Amino acid sequence: MDAGFEGLDSQWLSQDRVEELCGMLLASIPRSDQRRWGELYIRGLLLAEGRKTMQAIADVAGNAAMQSLQQFISSSPWDWRPVRQALAGYLDREIQPLSWIVEPLAVPKAGKHSVGVERQYATGLGKVANCQQSSGVWLASEESSCPVDWQLALPASWVAGPEQRKRAAIPDHIRARTPVQCAIDSVVEMAKEWRLTPRPVVMSVTKADLPGAARAFTGHRIPFVLRIEGSAPVIAADPRPAVCEQRILPALRLAEALKDQAGAVEWRDVGQSRHRVSKVVGTRVGLPTPVGHMARATGTPPLLLVGAWTNPAIARPTEFWLSNVCHLSSSALFRIAKLARRVSQDLHEVCDRVGVRDFAGRSFRGWHHHSTLVSIAHAISVLSRADRRTRAPYSSASPLRPLIGTR
């Protein structure tokens, strides 16, 4: 863990951050009573002990608020998109992120009624499970990270007919998508519409998803650093026989062939709260263009393959990254890629604790409302880290006075 931070400690939540972010980020919600319910829901996510059920959140409000909170989350028509955009803009200035990290989230479920739940293979779980899958896009620096957009991956069975759509109130324009497709759509919308500082997108893709992700990001001029499998085929730009004997070969073989050119790179391992040194090599490559079941070496615009030896017990490179940010060195791209560990850490220590996995409702809108307010609660928590030495403690005994005003 990071020094000076032991997870989510409610007494050190910054009251100023609660007031500032609730007032600013909920301003797009048109009705003052709805803004008030949003504010109370965020407080409940921050202060309720254990699982963030609707009852636990309502108990924090200190009154019979459960029915109103339920209606506000599940069926109230407020638009979550401007709230997320406002959060992203605020964090873009506040934490000055170095990258956008895509983090998939799979939530096992016992029943079949929660929106999007189906028995399916989940990459995050590494197995077939009855679960709900989504993708989050996080803004990340070395010190902190926060999710700013979420997309729910709906299996085909949930959008196949009007009865299924009606059950979860799924809008007509929503189609079945995989978590990777959700992530690509999120990133493209953020890059085109949200007016954020452009940052490299870091995400993991399979061999099957790699060509589509690279095409989508390249087509929209979005910088990326994609973690790929060692078996993913690439086109070696260096034709020398000493480097490779064939033009198209797996990323692992190409990185191995360049082992003598690898340099030592120091990077911050957030999970172990220390700095580590790994061997890293970079080389120009392209991606083969598939034709039927074959692949031809026409390739894509120049890319940089980064191979890293991150496990001292294994002689072969263990991580592989592909980037279109060719003006940066392989060591700089590797450090950017490793910011994904910051997101994994914050997901476990903060986002889980404010209830990212706890939504039990059945509506599509409710899931998005809950995820949006979880993101705000997460932002308040991580920004309070920097405030904890200078701010007064904040607890559930703090008065629940209106922070935004009433109509």
Side-chain angles (χ1 to χ4, degrees):
M1 295 185 183
D2 284 356
F5 181 66
E6 296 81 28
L8 179 61
D9 185 352
S10 62
Q11 71 169 331
W12 287 108
L13 291 170
S14 166
Q15 172 72 5
D16 288 350
R17 292 293 189 184
V18 175
E19 294 184 359
E20 179 184 22
L21 266 74
C22 285
M24 179 188 306
L25 302 179
L26 301 181
S28 64
I29 300 177
R31 289 172 44 180
S32 61
D33 62 320
Q34 292 177 335
R35 298 195 298 272
R36 174 62 173 165
W37 291 124
E39 172 188 310
L40 291 177
Y41 196 85
I42 291 167
R43 288 177 180 248
L45 294 172
L46 290 166
L47 299 173
E49 295 293 334
R51 185 174 174 82
K52 303 305 186 287
T53 64
M54 195 63 70
Q55 184 63 64
I57 292 170
D59 288 345
V60 170
N63 53 46
M66 183 171 172
Q67 185 174 354
S68 295
L69 283 170
Q70 181 74 54
Q71 192 276 336
F72 170 75
I73 292 296
S74 297
S75 55
S76 181
W78 61 275
D79 190 351
W80 60 83
R81 288 166 295 190
V83 178
R84 295 179 182 179
Q85 186 172 350
L87 173 62
Y90 178 86
L91 291 170
D92 198 40
R93 299 185 298 272
E94 189 77 8
I95 71 173
Q96 297 183 354
L98 299 174
S99 65
W100 299 356
I101 309 287
V102 171
E103 180 77 6
L105 182 67
V107 182
K109 297 280 187 177
K112 298 181 179 180
H113 299 296
S114 294
V115 60
V117 171
E118 184 173 272
R119 186 164 179 79
Q120 55 192 313
Y121 179 80
T123 302
L125 301 175
K127 62 181 181 179
V128 174
N130 196 64
C131 65
Q132 181 186 69
Q133 294 196 84
S134 61
S135 287
V137 182
W138 297 57
L139 304 190
S141 68
E142 284 195 344
E143 289 72 32
S144 59
S145 67
C146 183
V148 295
D149 196 34
W150 296 94
Q151 296 295 331
L152 183 62
L154 291 176
S157 62
W158 278 86
V159 297
E163 192 61 35
Q164 293 93 329
R165 288 182 176 274
K166 182 179 179 181
R167 183 173 62 178
I170 299 171
D172 291 341
H173 69 278
I174 298 297
R175 298 289 179 261
R177 293 181 300 169
T178 67
V180 169
Q181 290 169 336
C182 287
I184 292 172
D185 290 347
S186 272
V187 168
V188 169
E189 181 180 355
M190 287 172 58
K192 291 174 63 178
E193 307 292 341
W194 286 23
R195 299 180 181 179
L196 303 175
T197 306
R199 301 295 184 192
V201 177
V202 178
M203 66 181 291
S204 297
V205 294
T206 64
K207 280 192 294 184
D209 291 322
L210 173 57
R215 280 196 306 269
F217 293 149
T218 300
H220 291 282
R221 299 184 178 181
I222 296 171
F224 61 77
V225 185
L226 303 178
R227 183 167 183 172
I228 64 173
E229 299 165 304
S231 57
V234 295
I235 304 170
D238 190 338
R240 291 176 299 169
V243 174
C244 57
E245 297 177 355
Q246 59 191 81
R247 190 84 191 281
I248 300 177
L249 72 168
L252 169 61
R253 282 188 54 199
L254 180 55
E256 278 189 303
L258 298 171
K259 182 177 181 179
D260 291 343
Q261 300 178 24
V265 176
E266 184 178 12
W267 57 282
R268 183 181 178 188
D269 188 342
V270 176
Q272 299 184 21
S273 191
R274 66 185 181 91
H275 285 79
R276 294 176 55 188
V277 176
S278 298
K279 288 196 303 181
V280 173
V281 70
T283 185
R284 294 294 180 95
V285 298
L287 285 178
T289 302
V291 179
H293 297 291
M294 303 295 289
R296 53 194 177 92
T298 55
T300 56
L303 301 172
L304 188 67
L305 172 68
V306 177
W309 285 255
T310 54
N311 188 339
I314 300 177
R316 307 175 83 181
T318 51
E319 293 184 11
F320 309 91
W321 305 85
L322 202 62
S323 179
N324 62 349
V325 190
C326 295
H327 66 277
L328 292 182
S329 66
S330 56
S331 57
L333 290 173
F334 176 70
R335 292 190 187 99
I336 289 172
K338 299 307 285 185
L339 290 174
R341 293 175 70 89
R342 159 56 68 193
V343 169
S344 297
Q345 183 89 346
D346 285 351
L347 172 63
H348 171 69
E349 291 190 350
V350 182
C351 213
D352 274 344
R353 298 197 185 196
V354 296
V356 71
R357 302 175 196 265
D358 292 347
F359 181 71
R362 300 185 180 186
S363 80
F364 179 84
R365 177 183 293 151
W367 183 89
H368 277 282
H369 285 167
H370 173 81
S371 300
T372 301
L373 299 181
V374 161
S375 296
I376 296 177
H378 179 107
I380 291 170
S381 300
V382 297
L383 293 172
S384 292
R385 293 174 180 175
D387 300 334
R388 65 181 302 174
R389 290 192 178 94
T390 58
R391 308 285 185 177
Y394 173 63
S395 72
S396 56
S398 300
L400 289 175
R401 62 185 185 279
L403 302 182
I404 311 168
T406 57
R407 186 171 57 189

